[in-house]
Amino acid sequence: MSKTLVIVESPAKAKSISKFLGSRYTVKASMGHLRDLPKSQLGVDIEHDFEPKYIAIRGRGDLIKDLRAAAKSADKVFLASDPDREGEAIAWHLSHLLGLNQGDKNRIEFHEITKQAIQAAIKHPRQIDQDRVDAQQARRVLDRLVGYQLSPLLWRKIKKGLSAGRVQSVAVRLVDDREEEIRAFVSEEYWSLTANLQSAGGTFLAKLVKKSGKKLSISSRVEMENVLAELMGKEFQVSEVRTKEKKKLPAPPFITSSLQQEAHRKLGFSPKRTMMLAQQLYEGLDLGKEGTVGLITYMRTDSVKIADTAQAEAKEWILSHYGNEYYPSEPRQFANKGRAQEAHEAIRPTAALRTPEMLKGILSRDQLRLYRLIWERFIASQMSVAIMDTLTVEISVEDYLFRANTSTVRFPGFLAVYEEGNDAGESADDEQNSLTLSVSAGEKLSLIKLQEKQHFTEPPPRYTEASLVRKMEEEGIGRPSTYAPTIETIQTRGYVVKEEKQLLPTELGDIVISLLKEHFPDILNLEFTANLEEKLDLVEEGNAPWKSVVGDYYGPFSVTLAEADEKIGKVKIEDQVSEELCENCGRNMVIKMGRYGKFLACPGFPECRNTKPLFEEVGAKCPTCSKPLVVRRSKKGRKFFGCLGYPECAFVSWEMPAPEPCPECQQLMVIKSSKRQKKHVCTNPECRFTKVIEEA
């Protein structure tokens, strides 16, 4: 009886796949890459057409030996690494390590870990796609050339331990540019005026929008008082009533970037956490009687294509739970953007009939939350459009025009299952008003109240991890597999920190980006980086030789590198001196920035290596012992607030403490902010006194 060896990347995937194959098959895991460029040297022969030098990864010797023995005793070997460039490269490296014939059809590919998909893949093996491998090699070599030649320059000019990456540096630049916009922003005053009106059908609100047919802008209290004076005693009359039907299409099923953004908005997950949970759902989880089953399709994709079988399952579920009117006249497909992988699918459940409710008590809380998000988004994508009735009422007051809008759902369609979030974390629909169709043109209205309000324009918001993913996708920076690790890397390296879910450049990040902007403009140029991504796509499509792409990039880069080495002087980062004295040597300690924020360090390093936390007081007292509350960070870098007296006093709060205690019970109050208002809320569950500080 012939024996077949199947090699996948992870033990979890191996366990899932073993279930679908008979006793003739042995499934083993490579644990990712087994061969790579050496860490201790450049590993790329620049003089000989960028030939890479691959070596076995340290610590993987026993695993390679085990796989070689298994391959030698098997009649057939199938390489079943992930269905993307990285997975193709892993298969290619494995074929070399195991001495397989490069012309053999020993590569199998699947986008979901189900019995049907695995058995179909086994029946249709193919040769390793050398073009896809070459695209990965080009990226790997380019990143090595930039990282290993630019980083030592930063060591010499700024400080040791710094590193620069081709994609990571652009991501830091985006964060840094946004911070510059915020610093340069000049706030401008403007005013709004809302009329509370009484009609025959009830009361409603209308906003002042025009004067004499032109958009009205009120920029000061004086201008507002002039408007109010002109409106005093005047008649409000309905000049026009417009009704309109509006159809709302469902969002497409998830791709990598949209999943990361929506999971951040709705579930509060970082891109890294989203991808970790998605990997678990993809590779398979033990469902009891069913055994280990892959619950979603491959999660690194930029394609919104859906398989016919999945659409048929979605149709069955929709018809049985909602009826014919909730299903469109024909299955809905979505168009891919740009160079999306047509062979790939969107992220969807492997079985649409496996509802989130069926997995309660089986999946962890966060696994279930992410599965529910993916399942609902996919089901909704296959449902009928939502039909909205919009009503616009225009009210004339001599030369002034007020307008009121409202929309109501006539037919929910896909909204019965799912509605896409936005970055504010709220519905993107119009603000609801109590308008009714009983308002009629020519009707005279009674003015209940005019409410003027002062506003100030706000700077552009800082990036969150989700909005940075969207920006990178829009600009063509990186690919689905690189978004999460890139954002993780720029924080790990101390170039960017996360505060209240927002990304800010550190002083170090600012210095590095300023230096790169001046001397390596191409590396930080968004269009240049996006064009390089397109060239890598051309390599994958077989339309460009990979070494030529590397050569076209490296030629100008090497010239710039040599020039920069001569031009750049030593950049001194001045440490801020604190009043805290080092208890070991008596020097004034200095403030430094680390991965988890600022800390105190002795300037006598390396003779004195003393460090200690730098506590930032928040202006509130501990409710337990009355010592100051300070900013602390968890092991994962999350900010929280704790007592300065720790560990004697263990009080902590995840929410920002308010400066004053509760006036009712004297307990701690915390600051809660939303898009609409900022308030102080008492933490005492028996009190819960609330004080609104600021209306938006």
Side-chain angles (χ1 to χ4, degrees):
M1 187 169 68
S2 63
K3 284 276 188 182
T4 302
L5 172 66
V6 180
I7 303 176
V8 296
E9 288 183 40
S10 75
K13 196 192 288 189
K15 184 180 176 184
S16 299
I17 290 171
S18 296
K19 192 171 78 76
F20 305 126
L21 301 172
S23 57
R24 294 189 298 109
Y25 292 85
T26 302
V27 186
K28 288 184 174 287
S30 74
M31 308 299 291
H33 277 281
L34 292 176
R35 225 173 50 144
D36 196 9
L37 300 174
K39 282 189 174 183
S40 58
Q41 54 186 270
L42 184 63
V44 178
D45 192 340
I46 296 167
E47 304 300 321
H48 294 89
D49 207 16
F50 306 102
E51 190 62 34
K53 173 189 175 183
Y54 294 115
I55 63 167
I57 294 173
R58 192 173 179 181
R60 297 294 176 91
D62 289 344
L63 179 55
I64 293 169
K65 192 176 176 182
D66 179 53
L67 290 175
R68 278 176 174 158
K72 198 171 182 180
S73 62
D75 300 296
K76 183 74 181 171
V77 178
F78 285 135
L79 307 172
S81 42
D82 287 345
D84 55 16
R85 285 180 194 167
E86 209 65 36
E88 203 71 19
I90 288 172
W92 181 72
H93 285 299
L94 273 169
S95 72
H96 282 276
L97 285 168
L98 303 180
L100 304 181
N101 189 326
Q102 298 300 302
D104 285 354
K105 291 184 177 180
N106 53 23
R107 172 78 166 118
I108 60 171
E109 186 176 334
F110 43 84
H111 298 267
E112 60 184 77
I113 299 175
T114 58
K115 186 173 184 178
Q116 184 182 4
I118 301 303
Q119 291 182 345
I122 292 284
K123 288 176 185 174
H124 300 96
R126 59 169 173 80
Q127 287 183 339
I128 288 171
D129 184 339
Q130 191 60 44
D131 292 329
R132 202 186 279 187
V133 172
D134 287 348
Q136 190 274 345
Q137 286 198 96
R139 178 186 292 281
R140 186 75 187 94
V141 167
L142 279 168
D143 288 346
R144 173 55 64 96
L145 290 172
V146 172
Y148 272 47
Q149 296 200 303
L150 192 50
S151 297
L153 178 73
L154 298 180
W155 302 347
R156 292 193 297 273
K157 305 299 181 181
I158 303 176
K159 73 169 189 176
K160 285 192 174 180
L162 294 183
S163 57
R166 192 178 55 81
V167 174
Q168 293 97 313
S169 297
V170 179
V172 178
R173 188 222 168 117
L174 290 170
V175 176
D176 198 64
D177 283 354
R178 177 58 55 88
E179 200 64 24
E180 281 188 12
E181 286 179 59
I182 292 168
R183 287 181 197 133
F185 181 81
V186 179
S187 185
E188 293 180 2
E189 180 184 5
Y190 70 99
W191 288 72
S192 65
L193 184 62
T194 304
N196 190 348
L197 300 165
Q198 174 79 51
S199 72
T203 62
F204 64 94
L205 302 174
K207 287 192 173 181
L208 178 61
V209 289
K210 288 183 180 179
K211 183 181 181 183
S212 304
K214 294 180 180 177
K215 185 178 177 182
L216 182 62
S217 176
I218 304 170
S219 56
S220 69
R221 184 179 291 277
V222 172
E223 287 180 24
M224 175 54 76
E225 286 172 352
N226 290 338
V227 170
L228 290 171
E230 289 184 19
L231 290 170
M232 187 163 300
K234 298 296 192 307
E235 183 178 77
F236 284 71
Q237 185 174 20
V238 178
S239 55
E240 187 179 358
V241 178
R242 296 193 300 271
T243 58
K244 192 177 177 183
E245 179 185 280
K246 182 175 153 189
K247 290 183 178 176
K248 188 173 181 179
L249 282 164
F254 285 125
I255 57 176
T256 305
S257 60
S258 59
L259 176 64
Q260 290 175 4
Q261 290 168 58
E262 193 76 336
H264 187 275
R265 286 189 288 250
K266 289 193 168 180
L267 307 178
F269 293 168
S270 68
K272 180 185 177 183
R273 177 148 189 78
T274 297
M275 294 310 286
M276 182 190 76
L277 291 165
Q279 183 95 27
Q280 292 165 3
L281 295 174
Y282 164 69
E283 290 187 343
L285 293 160
D286 191 346
L287 303 187
K289 287 183 180 178
E290 276 190 88
T292 305
V293 179
L295 298 176
I296 64 168
T297 51
Y298 191 54
M299 64 286 159
R300 293 186 184 95
T301 177
D302 54 4
S303 170
V304 290
K305 181 182 167 187
I306 305 165
D308 294 342
T309 52
Q311 287 189 309
E313 278 194 13
K315 179 179 180 180
E316 181 185 337
W317 189 90
I318 294 162
L319 293 178
S320 65
H321 285 76
Y322 285 94
N324 291 333
E325 60 183 334
Y326 281 83
Y327 192 77
S329 55
E330 55 186 54
R332 184 179 285 110
Q333 283 282 10
F334 296 86
N336 282 326
K337 294 179 184 176
R339 286 185 141 87
Q341 291 282 336
E342 292 295 335
H344 285 200
E345 264 198 86
I347 304 168
R348 61 165 177 82
T350 54
L353 300 177
R354 189 183 288 119
T355 65
E357 282 65 34
M358 294 165 66
L359 298 173
K360 278 183 178 176
I362 299 172
L363 304 188
S364 72
R365 178 175 178 268
D366 284 351
Q367 286 170 346
L368 183 60
R369 291 170 78 202
L370 189 65
Y371 180 79
R372 184 184 298 280
L373 195 70
I374 293 166
W375 185 89
E376 288 178 349
R377 174 89 161 214
F378 169 64
I379 292 292
S381 77
Q382 297 304 293
M383 293 176 75
S384 299
V385 296
I387 300 173
M388 322 290 287
D389 285 323
T390 64
L391 172 62
T392 302
V393 176
E394 295 194 339
I395 300 105
S396 296
V397 191
E398 294 191 344
D399 290 344
Y400 290 97
L401 183 76
F402 286 77
R403 183 177 292 145
N405 295 299
T406 190
S407 63
T408 53
V409 178
R410 189 202 307 171
F411 174 67
F414 74 90
L415 291 175
V417 171
Y418 177 87
E419 183 172 9
E420 187 176 19
N422 61 22
D423 279 331
E426 299 186 11
S427 167
D429 283 348
D430 296 332
E431 191 176 319
Q432 294 301 302
N433 209 328
S434 54
L435 269 170
T436 65
L437 287 169
S438 59
V439 180
S440 53
E443 182 181 351
K444 290 185 173 63
L445 305 169
S446 299
L447 174 65
I448 299 169
K449 185 183 179 184
L450 283 173
Q451 180 65 53
E452 73 272 24
K453 194 170 183 184
Q454 183 186 37
H455 307 269
F456 293 92
T457 55
E458 294 185 354
R462 291 187 174 99
Y463 287 110
T464 62
E465 290 180 321
S467 59
L468 185 57
V469 166
R470 186 176 70 240
K471 179 67 174 175
M472 289 172 69
E473 182 189 29
E474 286 171 357
E475 298 289 349
I477 309 302
R479 281 294 178 263
S481 61
T482 64
Y483 300 138
T486 297
I487 291 171
E488 175 72 9
T489 298
I490 63 177
Q491 292 177 71
T492 303
R493 290 179 176 170
Y495 296 152
V496 168
V497 291
K498 187 162 61 173
E499 296 279 359
E500 306 294 333
K501 295 189 177 180
Q502 298 179 325
L503 298 174
L504 292 81
T506 61
E507 181 191 8
L508 182 61
D510 222 358
I511 290 169
V512 170
I513 291 303
S514 297
L515 186 144
L516 294 179
K517 269 184 187 176
E518 184 179 351
H519 298 281
F520 297 89
D522 280 351
I523 283 181
L524 294 186
N525 183 286
L526 302 185
E527 190 178 346
F528 183 85
T529 306
N531 287 342
L532 184 57
E533 292 290 353
E534 288 182 9
K535 287 177 182 176
L536 294 175
D537 289 341
L538 288 173
V539 173
E540 182 169 349
E541 292 158 13
N543 295 321
W546 77 267
K547 290 183 178 179
S548 296
V549 170
V550 172
D552 290 345
Y553 182 96
Y554 184 73
F557 170 73
S558 60
V559 172
T560 306
L561 188 71
E563 290 174 351
D565 206 4
E566 287 183 17
K567 290 179 185 175
I568 303 171
K570 181 74 176 171
V571 180
K572 176 70 175 167
I573 302 178
E574 295 290 345
D575 291 320
Q576 184 182 340
V577 180
S578 76
E579 294 180 8
E580 189 89 16
L581 295 177
C582 174
E583 55 266 38
N584 294 347
C585 67
R587 293 181 176 96
N588 280 74
M589 300 188 84
V590 294
I591 299 170
K592 290 188 173 288
M593 175 63 77
R595 181 181 178 185
Y596 301 125
K598 293 178 179 178
F599 65 96
L600 290 170
C602 181
F605 183 90
E607 295 83 23
C608 180
R609 296 173 177 266
N610 186 25
T611 62
K612 60 171 82 172
L614 174 67
F615 294 120
E616 174 192 344
E617 294 188 15
V618 298
K621 300 288 184 185
C622 174
T624 306
C625 70
S626 298
K627 286 184 178 176
L629 291 176
V630 296
V631 177
R632 293 184 180 273
R633 288 187 181 273
S634 69
K635 287 182 180 178
K636 292 185 177 179
R638 187 180 169 193
K639 189 175 179 180
F640 68 97
F641 307 92
C643 182
L644 185 61
Y646 179 85
E648 288 78 19
C649 177
F651 174 82
V652 295
S653 169
W654 288 106
E655 295 174 298
M656 176 73 172
E660 300 297 330
C662 174
E664 299 287 328
C665 69
Q666 299 304 306
Q667 290 293 306
L668 180 75
M669 295 187 80
V670 292
I671 300 170
K672 291 182 181 281
S673 299
S674 69
K675 196 176 181 183
R676 301 187 186 283
Q677 61 180 204
K678 183 178 180 181
K679 57 190 178 182
H680 292 179
V681 180
C682 179
T683 55
N684 181 354
E686 295 176 6
C687 175
R688 303 305 286 176
F689 173 81
T690 299
K691 180 183 178 182
V692 175
I693 304 300
E694 225 175 80
E695 292 282 359

